[in-house]
Amino acid sequence: VTLHWLRFLGSRQRTQMRFETGYATDGDVQVHLMRSPLGLREDFRPNRPVREGSYARNAFTLEYRPDVSLEFLRSGLGARFYYERADGTLDYQRAEARLTVRSSRGPISLGARLDVGLTNPGAPPQQLFELGKNQNLPGYDYKEFAGDQAAVFRALALWRLPYLGAPIRLTNRFWLPPIAPALALGVQSGWSRASAPAAL
């Protein structure tokens, strides 16, 4: 159960401030269905073990220009700070920060994003940072690394080719988006650390 309070700041309302408070319970649940009923090839992954408990949870988020990201073409600078605290059977504190920048000049777009995070070493295992291919590190396995400190950096250079850039008209009211081919170069890097035996 969580209550949210959200406010937009500034004359152009580009900054969001959000407070959350509530009560949560974490339980260790085993997988009951091993494969998809749709017949997908891979088995479901087992659930990661968690430390069970209940706690009061409070969180604060301050975000500037959430519309700036590596995945979209909006240019500018974006930033996000997040802090979470739990008190109860499970106790932990967790902080995350993100900085995103993107610039477009004609057919060329450049962007970078840095995510950093920190939680206390004695936090329950479900609050540690886990890094791998699902965290934009395609050279590694699923959640291959973990720790109470982590950082992920991504950079992207994109050159839109001058071909097939117009929308495709099917009827007067129905259009398809342009194919818009492009050449892209991406760099990803990640780091994690267990700073104490409890985190390890």
Side-chain angles (χ1 to χ4, degrees), residues 25-30 47-53 90 124-127:
T25 299
D26 290 359
D28 196 9
V29 179
Q30 302 301 315
N47 291 340
R48 294 297 181 101
V50 303
R51 189 184 307 160
E52 296 187 311
L90 300 179
Q126 60 266 32
Q127 290 300 327

Side-chain angles (χ1 to χ4, degrees), residues 70-149:
L70 284 185
E71 293 77 21
F72 299 102
L73 296 178
R74 184 70 57 92
S75 296
L77 175 70
R80 179 180 185 267
F81 174 77
Y82 173 80
Y83 173 76
E84 179 180 347
R85 179 186 175 105
D87 296 285
T89 310
L90 300 179
D91 293 310
Y92 65 86
Q93 295 183 66
R94 179 185 176 106
E96 302 173 15
R98 174 189 306 154
L99 182 64
T100 306
V101 61
R102 185 170 185 126
S103 177
S104 296
R105 295 289 184 268
I108 298 176
S109 294
L110 303 173
R113 172 174 160 173
L114 174 66
D115 291 270
V116 296
L118 174 71
T119 187
N120 51 304
Q126 60 266 32
Q127 290 300 327
L128 297 178
F129 298 97
E130 298 174 310
L131 304 181
K133 64 181 177 182
N134 286 44
Q135 289 70 42
N136 298 293
L137 299 174
Y140 298 96
D141 289 334
Y142 174 74
K143 295 185 177 181
E144 186 170 348
F145 304 102
D148 60 310
Q149 302 172 8

